Every structure is written in structure tokens, then in C-alpha cells.
Amino acid sequence: ASASRTVKEQVFLEKSKPPRFKGEEVDYPEFKRKWLSIVSKANLPEESEVDKLRDCIPSDARDQLYGVTTTAKCWEILDKRFGDPRIISMKLKQQLKSIRSEGKTDPDRVIGLAIKVRTIVTKLEAMKKQDALLHDSEFLSAVYYALPSVDQRKWLETKKSDCHWTDMMRFLEE
């Protein structure tokens, strides 16, 4: 009977520290998601979780949680302060419009640019705010001008569909 049993290897991970939030609105949704999936699932006493949450946010936000004893009230306050989807999407769109490529070689610049663009787009998609990308050519222009000149030429020669933004995302991935 013991021969038919499969042996499972156990891996022990170190205890993870609670996520930290530095106060930038564009990072707030991910901070909250991580907190809820890591810390809230640890089932700490509520006051302990509130204390930990206070320790992981900027001091000015910490002051707003003074005297608050429930996690629900903490999230209500933090959501109001940092979680406004309009402000977050406006900041993400501004990041995209001012995007620059970095790297020593053209391939490095394109890879870095693709990662930056994908990160911003993923954050916009998570908030259901990606539609603006389809209708505002400034986003497409910003990414185009951040490309190295050889890749700008390749883009101009690329066959395009009705949705140039989708074409650009595909172009960056390739």
C-alpha cells in the first residue's frame, strides 16, 4: 500500500512581511490587493491588523487613521484618500504620455519600453479604464516617439488594423 502513495515534497517559505505603501496613488490598488491576500488572510486580531496597516503607510496617512479601530474604517479612509479611480487613471495616462525608453542598446530600449507600457496598461485594465487608449492618439504618439529610430521605421512599415493601439501593443510584444 505504501508503494502506491505519492510522496509530496514540502517547501517552506519564509514568512512574508506585510506590503508597504509609499503614498503614490497608482500603487494603491496593488498595495490593497496584496494586503487583503496576505495580511487579512493571516486572521490577526482586528486591532493588530489595524496597527500593522498603520505601520505600512506614509506618516500623513497614518495620522488619518488615529483612533480608528476597525479595518473596514481604515480601508474606507484610505480608499477615499488614495483609491479614486479617476485620479489613478489620470496619473497612469500621464505616465504613458510622458514615457521614455531607457537602455544601452536599441533592443534593451524596446524591451524596457514594452515592459513600462504593459505595466501601465495592465493597471488601467485592472480599473477598467483602458478604453481611453483606443481613442486618444497622444498615447500612441508618445510610445512611437520613445521607440529607437530603427523601430520607428519598422512601425511605419507595419501593416495596421483598425485599432492602432492594439497594433502597437502587438508590435512591442514582438
Side-chain angles (χ1 to χ4, degrees), residues 117-118 121 164-174:
V117 170
R118 172 57 53 209
V121 170
H164 292 308
W165 180 254
T166 303
D167 295 337
M168 178 59 85
M169 292 301 294
R170 196 173 303 115
F171 179 78
L172 288 172
E173 295 300 321
E174 290 171 2

Side-chain angles (χ1 to χ4, degrees), residues 5-144:
R5 259 191 249 155
T6 54
V7 177
K8 290 187 178 182
E9 189 175 324
Q10 289 188 329
V11 176
F12 295 96
L13 301 175
E14 64 180 89
K15 289 182 181 180
S16 57
K17 292 182 179 178
R20 298 196 69 77
F21 177 60
K22 294 182 179 147
E24 185 54 51
E25 285 93 345
V26 296
D27 299 327
Y28 179 75
E30 182 67 2
F31 163 74
K32 184 176 180 181
R33 184 194 67 74
K34 283 182 178 178
W35 187 276
L36 295 175
S37 72
I38 296 170
V39 181
S40 292
K41 289 197 174 156
N43 292 321
L44 298 171
E46 189 159 30
E47 252 184 86
S48 296
E49 185 174 344
V50 169
D51 288 342
K52 283 205 176 303
L53 182 56
R54 246 189 238 115
D55 292 342
C56 293
I57 58 177
S59 60
D60 58 329
R62 194 175 307 136
D63 293 343
Q64 286 187 287
L65 300 185
Y66 183 79
V68 176
T69 57
T70 67
T71 53
K73 186 64 178 172
C74 288
W75 289 120
E76 181 185 322
I77 291 166
L78 293 173
D79 286 349
K80 203 173 285 184
R81 169 87 187 274
F82 299 107
D84 185 331
R86 291 169 308 176
I87 291 172
I88 295 169
S89 71
M90 180 187 70
K91 287 187 171 199
L92 288 168
K93 290 172 190 173
Q94 192 54 48
Q95 282 180 7
L96 193 53
K97 285 182 180 181
S98 61
I99 201 159
R100 300 283 171 259
S101 61
E102 297 162 3
K104 293 184 190 301
T105 66
D106 284 353
D108 287 344
R109 285 192 275 281
V110 173
I111 290 167
L113 183 64
I115 291 168
K116 285 180 183 179
V117 170
R118 172 57 53 209
T119 300
I120 294 169
V121 170
T122 301
K123 288 178 179 182
L124 286 168
E125 287 171 347
M127 297 182 343
K128 312 274 190 267
K129 298 285 187 181
Q130 73 275 18
D131 284 355
L133 301 174
L134 305 176
H135 308 294
D136 189 337
S137 60
E138 282 187 66
F139 300 116
L140 191 61
S141 292
V143 175
Y144 170 79

Side-chain angles (χ1 to χ4, degrees), residues 135-163:
H135 308 294
D136 189 337
S137 60
E138 282 187 66
F139 300 116
L140 191 61
S141 292
V143 175
Y144 170 79
Y145 285 114
L147 287 168
S149 58
V150 66
D151 293 293
Q152 287 178 349
R153 281 192 296 279
K154 285 181 191 170
W155 166 252
L156 293 174
E157 295 165 1
T158 300
K159 186 172 180 168
K160 296 173 189 67
S161 69
D162 291 340
C163 182

